[in-house]
Amino acid sequence: ADDAAARTTAFRSMVTTVRENRNPYRLALALLDYADDLGASGQGEAAAAAIDEAVEIGSTLGARPILERARQLRVAEAWPG
């Protein structure tokens, strides 16, 4: 459990850093990585929120790889949203 909490904290920190760098594509990727970790640790609602933000960014950018990965995460894990 401590490893999972440390990993989640590290992902949260990474998302914050990427957000501060103002690179929306990289932010969307970081959010999807974070969502994957959240979902794996049983935090499906938080994972869905991260995916939703990544989808919003991906839609704005027209970045199909982001949208496809978000779809795959949702299908694979059956998270809400």
Side-chain angles (χ1 to χ4, degrees):
D2 290 336
D3 288 342
R7 193 173 56 249
T8 298
T9 299
F11 272 112
R12 187 179 309 118
S13 177
M14 175 187 66
V15 167
T16 299
T17 299
V18 174
R19 190 182 302 279
E20 290 169 356
N21 289 333
R22 299 184 185 269
N23 182 323
Y25 189 84
R26 290 186 189 267
L27 175 58
L29 291 175
L31 285 164
L32 292 173
D33 288 342
Y34 184 39
D36 195 18
D37 180 69
L38 288 168
S41 64
Q43 299 178 57
E45 193 171 306
I51 291 171
D52 288 346
E53 185 178 355
V55 166
E56 184 177 324
I57 293 167
S59 295
T60 299
L61 297 175
R64 292 194 340 212
I66 299 281
L67 301 174
E68 179 59 22
R69 181 155 177 236
R71 187 192 66 75
Q72 289 172 350
L73 281 173
R74 283 192 173 133
V75 168
E77 302 300 332
W79 294 325

